[in-house]
Amino acid sequence: MKIGYARVSTDTQNLDPQRHALNVAGCDVVYEDLGISGAVQARQGLTDALGQVGQGDTLIVWKLDRLGRSLADLIHLIDGIGKAGGGFVSLTEAIDTTSAGGRLLFHMMGALAEFERALIAERTVIGMEAARRRGTHVGRPRKLTAAQIDHAREMIGAGKPVAHMAELYGVDPSTLWRALRGG
């Protein structure tokens, strides 16, 4: 069975071009999600479409981005389709995992995406280390300035409650304690 899946991100977008392409491709049934971002994992139309895929079935989409936002999501979904005994076709990108060449192309895309993620992670770590060496704070912005911490330390030393000083600066008392300890 050929199972189609169509999705648009907003209610104002139109599913007609996708419906037409999926009908021309010979889909027996088309599941749809209207007004749902590809980043949303819980999509009823997609869940229903994937639930129909069994041995020898093919899930067909108009474009890859209709199925998922990231290549990691796409790989996960298409791997699940394969484990169910089905195939996957993206009409626009001409990817067809029911053929050996299509599987090769898709796996090459997955390998390149994994390589890109590893490079990004390496560059991020190198950049953070360089920033730390330059004395730049890495991570979440600090809630309190050095002057505020010094003032709080002085006032607490003079008897003001920590909770009062934390409220004055709009932070949680634990945040103020961490700042006073130098953390």
Side-chain angles (χ1 to χ4, degrees), residues 30-53:
V30 175
Y31 293 92
E32 301 174 352
D33 282 316
L34 180 63
I36 299 176
S37 166
V40 174
Q41 295 295 322
R43 293 178 266 160
Q44 191 60 52
L46 179 59
T47 300
D48 293 344
L50 292 172
Q52 287 295 308
V53 176

Side-chain angles (χ1 to χ4, degrees), residues 122-140:
E122 284 178 20
R123 286 192 302 261
T124 300
V125 168
I126 290 168
M128 289 171 63
E129 288 172 357
R132 282 189 192 105
R133 282 194 303 273
R134 290 190 309 271
T136 304
H137 174 73
V138 176
R140 186 180 217 169

Side-chain angles (χ1 to χ4, degrees), residues 128-160:
M128 289 171 63
E129 288 172 357
R132 282 189 192 105
R133 282 194 303 273
R134 290 190 309 271
T136 304
H137 174 73
V138 176
R140 186 180 217 169
R142 298 183 192 272
K143 295 242 179 191
L144 299 168
T145 66
Q148 289 172 323
I149 295 168
D150 289 342
H151 179 250
R153 186 174 283 118
E154 182 182 316
M155 298 304 291
I156 292 167
K160 286 282 185 188

Side-chain angles (χ1 to χ4, degrees), residues 71-116:
L71 196 52
D73 289 340
L74 290 171
I75 290 169
H76 175 74
L77 288 169
I78 294 170
D79 186 50
I81 292 168
K83 286 179 179 171
F88 170 76
V89 171
S90 174
L91 299 172
T92 304
E93 291 84 6
I95 294 173
D96 182 349
T97 67
T98 64
S99 71
R103 284 189 298 277
L104 174 64
L105 176 61
F106 192 75
H107 286 290
M108 286 174 46
M109 288 173 54
L112 289 171
E114 187 175 327
F115 178 66
E116 180 185 19

